[in-house]
């Protein structure tokens, strides 16, 4: 019996040492968990998302690609959309730097409308009758005449580029997106407060949508950008959908860009109709 005691004592010592080691690891694990929770609560843990300015700069680099913004003077764009419920149409835009536009809308029922902005005056010609546009209508065409309108970035994303923070990430369909909003918000508070938000795809780096309103606001507008295509070195979102709600009224409008050409617009295509020229005072 005496010869077995040292072996039993050695085994007991090893078991005791193992138990103490397991207990120590558990204590250390609990301590680390408590410390991590404390750091998170104190705001010392770094955000797990890329910086907003970096995301927006990368997006701008992606869409510009090989495109030389200084090299082109005119632009032709053709797109199709539903003009009014039940009536589809093709919209052709003839543009010249810095801000001239003639827009030709041909509806599926055979009707056609010409309108645009010549750098000074906004105008419309419908059924052979011309008129000059003022107020909101004139401003809308002046904005649309900007040479890169609708091709480089969405207004909300451009606005946020000056002062923004990455406030969270979310799943949209099969994609994960980073949400960008004004600093000092979270994704939850931004959505609840109806703040402007831009969403950048985690996988592609491209802008997928923007939103404003909702939450405690009486309105909501979401724009989605998809089917990016390369047109002469510029990456363009060719599928644009706007979903909006004001009160109980819902509205959805989609535009598909079919073609973008550079430096192919002639002087004749930008010429004002005679009926419009007679309305412009010398």
């Amino acid at each position: 019996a005496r010869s077995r005691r040292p072996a039993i004592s050695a085994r007991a010592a090893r078991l005791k040492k193992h138990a103490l080691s397991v207990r120590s690891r558990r204590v250390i694990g609990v301590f680390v968990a408590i410390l991590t929770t404390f750091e998170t609560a104190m705001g010392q843990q770094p955000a797990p998302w890329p910086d907003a300015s970096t995301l927006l700069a990368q997006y701008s680099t992606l869409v510009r690609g090989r495109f030389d913004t200084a090299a082109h003077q005119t632009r032709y764009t053709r797109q199709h959309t539903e003009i009014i419920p039940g009536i589809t149409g093709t919209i052709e835009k003839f543009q010249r730097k810095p801000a001239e536009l003639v827009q030709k809308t041909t509806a599926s029922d055979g009707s056609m409308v010409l309108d645009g902005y010549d750098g000074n005056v906004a105008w419309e010609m419908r059924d052979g009758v011309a008129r000059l546009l003022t107020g909101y209508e004139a401003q809308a065409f002046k904005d649309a005449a900007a040479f890169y309108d609708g091709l480089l970035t969405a207004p909300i994303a451009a606005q946020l580029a000056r002062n923004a923070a990455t406030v969270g990430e979310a799943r949209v369909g099969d994609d994960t997106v980073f949400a960008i909003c004004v600093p000092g918000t979270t994704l939850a508070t931004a959505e609840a407060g109806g703040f402007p938000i831009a969403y950048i795809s985690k996988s592609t780096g491209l802008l997928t949508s923007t939103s404003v309103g909702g939450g405690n606001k009486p309105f909501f507008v979401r724009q989605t950008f998809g089917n990016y295509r390369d047109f002469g070195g510029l990456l363009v979102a060719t599928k644009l959908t706007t979903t909006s709600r004001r009160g109980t009224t819902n509205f959805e409008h989609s535009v598909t860009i079919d073609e973008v050409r550079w430096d192919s617009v002639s002087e004749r295509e930008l010429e004002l109709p005679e009926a419009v020229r007679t309305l412009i005072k010398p």
Side-chain angles (χ1 to χ4, degrees):
R2 182 176 296 180
S3 62
R4 295 182 57 190
R5 288 193 63 181
I8 294 174
S9 299
R11 186 183 303 165
R14 286 196 301 271
L15 291 173
K16 184 177 181 180
K17 185 178 180 181
H18 176 72
L20 287 172
S21 176
V22 170
R23 189 178 302 170
S24 297
R25 287 199 298 271
R26 287 176 178 171
V27 170
I28 291 171
V30 171
F31 175 76
V32 170
I34 292 172
L35 181 61
T36 302
T37 302
F38 176 75
E39 288 179 346
T40 303
M42 294 300 292
Q44 297 173 355
Q45 189 113 328
W49 311 300
D51 182 72
S53 60
T54 300
L55 288 172
L56 291 168
Q58 288 174 344
Y59 164 66
S60 179
T61 300
L62 283 170
V63 296
R64 290 177 188 273
R66 302 176 288 104
F67 189 73
D68 184 355
T69 56
H72 306 289
Q73 297 301 312
T74 70
R75 161 187 153 200
Y76 169 80
T77 308
R78 177 170 53 85
Q79 61 193 47
H80 67 269
T81 185
E82 186 177 54
I83 300 172
I84 59 174
I87 301 292
T88 58
T90 299
I91 301 174
E92 296 175 280
K93 294 183 179 183
F94 306 87
Q95 292 180 259
R96 179 166 57 193
K97 280 183 178 178
E100 291 180 63
L101 165 69
V102 171
Q103 181 172 276
K104 179 181 178 182
T105 303
T106 306
S108 55
D109 63 359
S111 61
M112 186 183 74
V113 176
L114 281 175
D115 42 34
Y117 180 73
D118 73 344
N120 296 294
V121 175
W123 54 274
E124 177 191 81
M125 188 163 152
R126 186 187 298 266
D127 298 326
V129 178
R131 70 184 182 101
L132 301 184
L133 305 179
T134 59
Y136 171 80
E137 287 183 305
Q139 188 61 49
F141 276 100
K142 183 177 179 180
D143 293 342
F147 196 59
Y148 299 111
D149 165 65
L151 294 186
L152 290 180
T153 187
I156 287 180
Q159 175 188 347
L160 287 173
R162 294 188 288 270
N163 183 28
T166 308
V167 298
E169 64 178 77
R171 291 289 294 178
V172 177
D174 295 329
D175 198 12
T176 299
V177 296
F178 293 116
I180 297 174
C181 192
V182 294
T185 60
T186 65
L187 179 54
T189 59
E191 290 176 337
F195 291 10
I197 307 172
Y199 300 89
I200 300 283
S201 170
K202 188 175 182 178
S203 59
T204 67
L206 295 171
L207 182 73
T208 62
S209 65
T210 63
S211 69
V212 62
N216 58 17
K217 303 291 185 182
F219 67 92
F220 175 75
V221 179
R222 180 182 295 279
Q223 289 184 299
T224 61
F225 308 88
N227 297 351
Y228 282 84
R229 287 176 55 192
D230 186 308
F231 292 101
L234 187 69
L235 206 57
V236 177
T238 60
K239 182 69 173 181
L240 307 111
T241 302
T242 301
T243 304
S244 61
R245 184 191 73 248
R246 181 168 291 276
T248 58
T249 303
N250 296 311
F251 175 78
E252 182 171 303
H253 181 249
S254 293
V255 172
T256 300
I257 296 176
D258 303 301
E259 184 179 3
V260 180
R261 294 199 313 263
W262 308 100
D263 299 321
S264 63
V265 175
S266 67
E267 189 71 34
R268 179 180 57 80
E269 290 166 319
L270 287 166
E271 188 176 20
L272 290 177
E274 179 63 29
V276 174
R277 289 203 300 269
T278 60
L279 296 177
I280 299 175
K281 294 180 181 181

